[in-house]
Amino acid sequence: MRQHRAIHRLLAAVCLIACCALAAPARAAGPVQIDIYGPGQGSLNLALADPLGPAPGTPVTGQGAKLNEIIRENLSFLPFLRLTDPKAILGGTVLQSYKAPDIDFKRFQLAGTDLVVTAGWPQGDAPGKPFVELRVYEAYSGKLVFGKGYYDIQETQLPDVADRFCSDLMKALTGRGEFFKSTLAFVKAGGKNKKDVWLSKPTGRDLRQITNLPGEALSPSWSPDARFIVFSHMDDRTHALGVWDRLTRQTQRIKFPGNTVIGPTFMPDNKVAVSLSTGKNPGIFLLNHVFQKERTLEDSASIDVSPSFDATGTKMAFCSSRLGGPQIFLKDLTTGQVTRISRSGSYNTAPSISPDGTLIAFARMTDFGHRIFVYDMVTQSERQVTFGPGTDETPSFAPDSYFLAFTSTRSGAKQIYLITRHGGDAKRVPTGSGDASFPDWGMIPD
């Protein structure tokens, strides 16, 4: 009898704990947000409910299902979001409504979900200018994070709708949403001694070739207004500055005395900095808006190449051989002061300053191959953010100063990968067959 009473007390205690766990809020009353820039980045669990049609509790299977799948793929690129397995949600992901208060949030709470995405197609999702409303809710409070409607949707527009929604979601959670609005420029091999500039979304969509010149393109760079891409170009006889115009779709080659054009990059004012030969070794020069030499930015007795600028245009990171092997330096363009950044290793190249001016990413040759390191200009410390296998080179900061694109041979061929300023697992950008390298981020206006 005493044993039975003990069992009953134990069961009552378990039930009480379970009820309290369900009744108590899992987080503070404020909106769900996450700091992606601070140390110890956390993560959130997100669930996608099935898209619903005009009838309550009836999912759609046409454009609605395709849109949900694109959104799911998009969100897989965000390392601070974990997608909840639909099988882990007791009762499934088909809801009676896509609007609160008629949403059963308890099933998502039990699965440990922080955010729930719902989609409603009031007119159905068959072709014919349908309308979709996408909403994001906090699972524990049932509060609406945000909701938006998208009208006159054709099937070809589904990726664009997914990008706009995911950009809004990322901005609501982190304060920045440029990732899904950005476009990568990179170099892709097309045969022996043939490399051209290509574009794609960082998720691999909208892949397209934009140049077709005899020879090899290297180091593309977007202009801040996204009208131009400049790049180094080598044919059988000459080096030149390649310039692609997004509005005219035309490409020109501009040659300079000395026949050396290395690592052109745009400054925030739409002028170009590039390494040119004026003597024995190349220096860094500023070109005006019609790509003519304007003035010297850095020209020592050594090799000075690979300029990179913050969003203000007052900080320039570059690579120089002035101490023997290549090292990374930072120049304050307002005072002229030059500071050495890379303190370890004998071979450091390809610097990229984060637009917010706090970090410099670069490639270092280690005993295990080239790896990407990030130098923190605030704490004056560095950390390794890629670990191979293979070789990791040519890092490039995204406009949000959070994502990094880089070239890696970890899968065998050269491919473009993404990580964050904190490192973590690298995600490959699907760019099709052929080597892909030298990524650079741009923001094409809507």
Side-chain angles (χ1 to χ4, degrees):
M1 194 68 175
R2 190 176 302 161
Q3 182 180 9
H4 286 305
R5 280 198 291 268
I7 292 174
H8 283 306
R9 283 196 297 269
L10 178 61
L11 289 174
V14 170
C15 290
L16 179 61
I17 292 172
C19 290
C20 290
L22 288 175
R27 52 180 73 250
V32 173
Q33 291 181 321
I34 188 165
D35 179 11
I36 61 175
Y37 296 98
Q41 175 190 295
S43 61
L44 295 171
N45 297 316
L46 180 143
L48 284 172
D50 283 26
L52 300 177
T58 305
V60 291
T61 57
Q63 291 189 133
K66 292 178 182 178
L67 178 60
N68 258 39
E69 191 54 41
I70 298 172
I71 290 174
R72 181 180 296 277
E73 177 61 25
N74 271 5
L75 296 180
S76 72
F77 280 81
L78 301 182
F80 54 85
L81 286 182
R82 292 195 298 255
L83 297 175
T84 304
D85 186 348
K87 296 178 182 178
I89 300 171
L90 188 64
T93 54
V94 177
L95 305 175
Q96 284 300 303
S97 174
Y98 64 94
K99 296 180 181 180
D102 300 321
I103 296 175
D104 175 17
F105 288 108
K106 186 167 292 185
R107 65 179 72 182
F108 298 104
Q109 296 169 9
L110 291 171
T113 297
D114 300 294
L115 298 169
V116 181
V117 177
T118 66
W121 297 75
Q123 302 168 359
D125 67 340
K129 299 185 177 181
F131 158 73
V132 62
E133 185 176 346
L134 293 165
R135 294 181 169 224
V136 182
Y137 290 95
E138 295 182 4
Y140 283 90
S141 67
K143 291 181 180 178
L144 180 69
V145 177
F146 78 91
K148 277 199 172 181
Y150 304 89
Y151 297 82
D152 298 339
I153 301 171
Q154 304 299 321
E155 188 166 342
T156 56
Q157 298 171 311
L158 294 177
D160 181 59
V161 172
D163 287 345
R164 284 186 283 159
F165 169 75
C166 291
S167 176
D168 290 337
L169 173 59
M170 186 175 176
K171 187 172 183 179
L173 297 178
T174 70
R176 303 296 295 264
E178 294 96 328
F179 177 80
F180 293 105
K181 295 181 177 180
S182 62
T183 298
L184 285 174
F186 58 94
V187 169
K188 190 173 178 182
K192 185 178 181 181
N193 300 325
K194 183 77 164 72
K195 293 179 180 178
D196 284 292
V197 180
W198 288 62
L199 304 180
S200 84
K201 293 286 190 180
T203 55
R205 287 199 309 275
D206 298 337
L207 179 66
R208 58 200 185 277
Q209 180 179 342
I210 62 169
T211 70
N212 188 16
L213 300 173
E216 299 186 15
L218 300 169
S219 306
S221 173
W222 279 100
S223 63
D225 63 3
R227 173 167 179 178
F228 298 102
I229 291 177
V230 293
F231 54 96
S232 299
H233 190 266
M234 300 179 294
D235 61 17
D236 292 338
R237 296 175 296 171
T238 60
H239 284 208
L241 176 71
V243 181
W244 176 75
D245 188 328
R246 183 176 59 85
L247 299 185
T248 66
R249 299 294 194 268
Q250 298 298 310
T251 304
Q252 60 176 317
R253 295 179 85 246
I254 302 172
K255 291 181 283 187
F256 293 88
N259 198 34
T260 299
V261 179
I262 303 172
T265 187
F266 272 100
M267 296 183 67
D269 61 359
N270 255 35
K271 293 183 179 180
V272 172
V274 62
S275 293
L276 304 172
S277 286
T278 57
K280 182 178 179 182
N281 293 313
I284 301 172
F285 297 89
L286 179 67
L287 307 182
N288 60 22
H289 290 113
V290 290
F291 309 110
Q292 297 173 336
K293 190 186 294 185
E294 183 174 291
R295 64 183 176 90
T296 303
L297 295 177
E298 185 68 20
D299 192 16
S300 67
S302 304
I303 298 172
D304 299 316
V305 294
S306 304
S308 175
F309 301 88
D310 70 339
T312 68
T314 61
K315 297 177 183 178
M316 179 180 76
F318 64 100
C319 180
S320 177
S321 65
R322 62 190 63 190
L323 298 180
Q327 297 291 341
I328 308 302
F329 294 84
L330 179 69
K331 183 169 186 175
D332 186 329
L333 295 178
T334 59
T335 66
Q337 181 181 0
V338 175
T339 305
R340 181 180 176 182
I341 295 301
S342 56
R343 294 286 177 176
S344 301
S346 60
Y347 199 95
N348 296 283
T349 60
S352 174
I353 295 188
S354 60
D356 65 9
T358 63
L359 305 175
I360 300 176
F362 59 92
R364 170 177 294 158
M365 181 185 290
T366 71
D367 292 339
F368 306 98
H370 285 84
R371 299 290 179 261
I372 307 301
F373 287 74
V374 170
Y375 176 82
D376 189 320
M377 287 187 274
V378 177
T379 63
Q380 298 185 355
S381 61
E382 69 174 32
R383 64 183 180 276
Q384 185 175 342
V385 294
T386 71
F387 297 86
T391 293
D392 304 324
E393 298 179 285
T394 63
S396 175
F397 265 108
D400 59 12
S401 298
Y402 174 68
F403 280 98
L404 270 168
F406 65 99
T407 307
S408 180
T409 60
R410 61 187 59 201
S411 61
K414 288 184 177 181
Q415 295 291 303
I416 308 296
Y417 285 81
L418 305 177
I419 54 169
T420 76
R421 60 197 282 151
H422 307 296
D425 295 333
K427 180 94 171 177
R428 188 173 75 85
V429 179
T431 56
S433 60
D435 284 356
S437 57
F438 294 103
D440 188 72
W441 302 77
M443 293 287 293
I444 298 177
D446 293 334

